[in-house]
Amino acid sequence: LRDRVAAGAPLDGILVFRFGAGLFFENATHFDQRVRDLVSAATVPVRSVVLDAAAMDDIDFTGTEVLRRQAEDLATHGTRVFLTELSTDAEDCARRAGLDQVLTIVPRLEEAITYAAAGSAGTAGSSATSDGSDAAPPNLGIEDDGVLVVVGAFGGSSQELQVEVAD
């Protein structure tokens, strides 16, 4: 990921979370609670949650309902949700479930981070695509082991909230 996200503006209030499995009835509650706990633990308000769904090869009905409820609940607190790196099947499932009405589906993680940082393409009911612009994506704090995705630069400080990949 470090190679994919170029240097740019710091990320204030953006949480990037990668869940390391499909999202279905057996783990949906754990996923939901983990994201909510991370948002609550942040020392500054989280204004965007970027969900890296690269490992979510499957999302069942329970998973889509958890994503819907989570996006709606976070929106009441002014927090936007971006869902990115979906497989073709998972994206089709998300769109059929109408998730693109409550969160923003973005093809690539670096685009989602850029949109979240810029405050663009972040309205519920939208899907973002690359516009070919040369705008530099923001900085992103990343653990060196390549397993963890972390929050970058909350509140302009160097503090990072580490997020482990969930199994």
Side-chain angles (χ1 to χ4, degrees), residues 46-123:
V46 174
R47 60 185 173 84
S48 296
V49 173
V50 176
L51 300 172
D52 178 350
M56 285 186 196
D57 56 350
D58 182 39
I59 305 173
D60 74 359
F61 176 78
T62 303
T64 61
E65 289 306 300
V66 163
L67 287 168
R68 176 187 323 284
R69 186 178 63 244
Q70 192 175 81
E72 291 170 347
D73 291 351
L74 290 169
T76 64
H77 300 287
T79 302
R80 298 169 300 151
V81 176
F82 296 83
L83 188 59
T84 187
E85 296 291 339
L86 288 163
S87 69
T88 302
D89 290 341
E91 183 175 349
D92 290 345
C93 177
R95 290 186 189 284
R96 278 194 314 274
L99 290 180
D100 54 350
Q101 300 302 306
V102 296
L103 54 78
T104 303
I105 298 173
V106 183
R108 307 296 300 166
L109 179 59
E110 57 270 28
E111 291 175 282
I113 292 167
T114 300
Y115 294 138
S120 63
T123 57

Side-chain angles (χ1 to χ4, degrees), residues 1-7 11 14-18 50-54 84-85 107-114 137-152 163 165:
L1 182 59
R2 191 182 305 275
D3 296 336
R4 292 173 45 198
V5 180
L11 295 176
I14 298 175
L15 172 68
V16 178
F17 180 68
R18 181 176 187 206
V50 176
L51 300 172
D52 178 350
T84 187
E85 296 291 339
R108 307 296 300 166
L109 179 59
E110 57 270 28
E111 291 175 282
I113 292 167
T114 300
N139 290 324
L140 180 66
I142 303 168
E143 287 295 306
D144 290 334
D145 62 13
V147 175
L148 303 181
V149 177
V150 302
V151 174
V163 181
V165 175

Side-chain angles (χ1 to χ4, degrees), residues 23-34 62 66 69:
L23 187 58
F24 57 103
F25 71 95
E26 287 185 6
N27 63 13
T29 300
H30 170 74
F31 166 83
D32 186 39
Q33 192 59 54
R34 186 68 178 125
T62 303
V66 163
R69 186 178 63 244

